[in-house]
Amino acid sequence: NMGGDKDNTENILNDKEEIISVSAEVKDLKIEHNITDKGKSGMYFYFRQHYNNLKNSTCYYMIRFFDEEGKQLKGKQYQDEDGYFAIIGKIVPDDNDFENIQRPFIAYDQFDVPNKGVVYFYCDVQLFVLDRKGKRVELAHSDPNRFHLSY
């Protein structure tokens, strides 16, 4: 789903079996090109994430990648459980009103770019928690961000 900003308020059970209302927001997804990290050339993906009522809970962000037609890219080094290209990070908010900025680095060699011409890609960010069965419960996702790479 490549739709717009979506903020879910989910009701989840805490350890005392009380139903609490939790929510999250992700915004300001930006890409900074031509970064060198540990000798590799690539990009920083900046985004701001905000979590409500999730103090001491394990939360996750996931950056997903798509081709220009909106088809999810297969992962080389970084993959979700289905083999798609995804960068997954974990965060445990230390407050019920928690915000921070993430800046994962992704190397250009993770993308297939032909020797000539320009290729366009999309990415988005999803914030989620896991339910008791280990299934993802999406709390928010960003608008897709289009970027291009050339050889």
Side-chain angles (χ1 to χ4, degrees):
N1 175 5
M2 299 272 293
D5 278 1
K6 177 166 112 60
D7 293 314
N8 271 359
T9 299
E10 291 286 341
N11 292 316
I12 61 172
L13 287 170
N14 67 12
D15 293 336
K16 299 184 186 122
E17 301 286 335
E18 297 162 332
I19 292 180
I20 50 169
S21 177
V22 303
S23 65
E25 187 184 12
V26 57
K27 56 185 188 228
D28 303 334
L29 173 58
K30 295 184 185 72
I31 299 168
E32 187 181 342
H33 283 277
N34 301 316
I35 304 294
T36 303
D37 186 281
K38 298 184 186 83
K40 290 208 158 192
S41 187
M43 305 164 269
Y44 280 142
F45 286 75
Y46 290 88
F47 58 92
R48 185 183 299 275
Q49 54 183 355
H50 193 117
Y51 294 96
N52 293 309
N53 291 334
L54 284 157
K55 183 178 177 176
N56 299 332
S57 302
T58 304
C59 303
Y60 299 87
Y61 69 79
M62 177 166 68
I63 308 176
R64 305 178 303 168
F65 297 91
F66 305 86
D67 67 15
E68 237 191 328
E69 279 73 61
K71 238 177 69 190
Q72 230 174 322
L73 301 183
K74 287 284 186 198
K76 295 181 183 185
Q77 190 180 341
Y78 306 103
Q79 299 179 344
D80 67 9
E81 61 271 25
D82 300 318
Y84 290 112
F85 187 0
I87 306 289
I88 299 174
K90 190 177 359 184
I91 191 144
V92 179
D94 57 11
D95 191 46
N96 274 322
D97 183 8
F98 179 87
E99 181 167 293
N100 77 0
I101 293 174
Q102 293 291 323
R103 193 191 68 178
F105 171 82
I106 298 157
Y108 290 133
D109 65 12
Q110 298 302 305
F111 298 88
D112 290 322
V113 179
N115 290 345
K116 19 179 176 322
V118 176
V119 196
Y120 287 91
F121 298 100
Y122 287 94
C123 64
D124 68 7
V125 181
Q126 251 184 334
L127 304 182
F128 64 93
V129 290
L130 298 178
D131 70 15
R132 294 187 169 183
K133 299 190 179 86
K135 285 253 180 281
R136 284 188 205 145
V137 179
E138 182 183 287
L139 298 175
H141 70 240
S142 71
D143 277 330
N145 188 324
R146 186 173 189 244
F147 64 99
H148 69 273
L149 299 176
S150 53
Y151 189 71

